[in-house]
Amino acid sequence: QLQLVESGGGLVQPGGSLRLSCAASAGTLDYRAIAWFRQAPGKEREGVSCISSRGTKTNYADSVKGRFTISRDNAKSTVSLQMNSLKPEDTAVYYCASSLTDYVCDHILRQDFRGWGQGTRVTVSS
């Protein structure tokens, strides 16, 4: 099973930006849809964004539309999440996970993805 590693989290002020990165600890992300999830303290893990295996389809949660952008570089086997105009409510641990099927990007449900990493913490605070 492909295991993923997240990086790029940190502390940022409201209105700031961060760029998260997802890579495989071994192997490649090629041919897999990749999704970002987040989990805030005391809350369920929620889907944030997803990108299809070839990068031709993306999807976003309503709460991040217009602020977050997901992209992939298959040559480098990485998927990035550019987060702009960050809000305190974006504070969470962010995870990436993969699926062998692209249709899972339509709904970004936790049960459709595998290979969870340890996550990277994002804190938005002044």
Side-chain angles (χ1 to χ4, degrees), residues 29-101:
L29 300 183
D30 293 357
Y31 313 114
R32 293 173 182 264
I34 303 295
W36 284 96
F37 290 76
R38 66 186 181 187
Q39 188 165 15
K43 294 189 176 181
E44 295 289 320
R45 192 170 299 187
E46 63 172 349
V48 173
S49 183
C50 186
I51 189 166
S52 61
S53 57
R54 294 188 178 187
T56 54
K57 180 169 69 173
T58 59
N59 194 17
Y60 299 90
D62 288 343
S63 58
V64 306
K65 279 181 182 176
R67 301 188 298 122
F68 290 11
T69 302
I70 192 171
S71 61
R72 69 188 301 155
D73 185 339
N74 281 346
K76 297 181 179 179
S77 199
T78 58
V79 171
S80 297
L81 185 68
Q82 178 67 41
M83 306 187 297
N84 298 329
S85 302
L86 283 162
K87 305 175 181 180
E89 50 263 44
D90 295 317
T91 294
V93 178
Y94 284 71
Y95 302 87
C96 61
S98 72
S99 173
L100 289 172
T101 55

Side-chain angles (χ1 to χ4, degrees), residues 10-22:
L11 172 64
V12 63
Q13 293 186 342
S17 299
L18 279 176
R19 187 176 182 88
L20 306 184
S21 184
C22 174

Side-chain angles (χ1 to χ4, degrees), residues 37 98-101 103-104 107-114:
F37 290 76
S98 72
S99 173
L100 289 172
T101 55
Y103 74 85
V104 296
H107 300 290
I108 322 177
L109 300 176
R110 182 177 181 175
Q111 59 261 35
D112 292 331
F113 292 86
R114 301 290 184 268

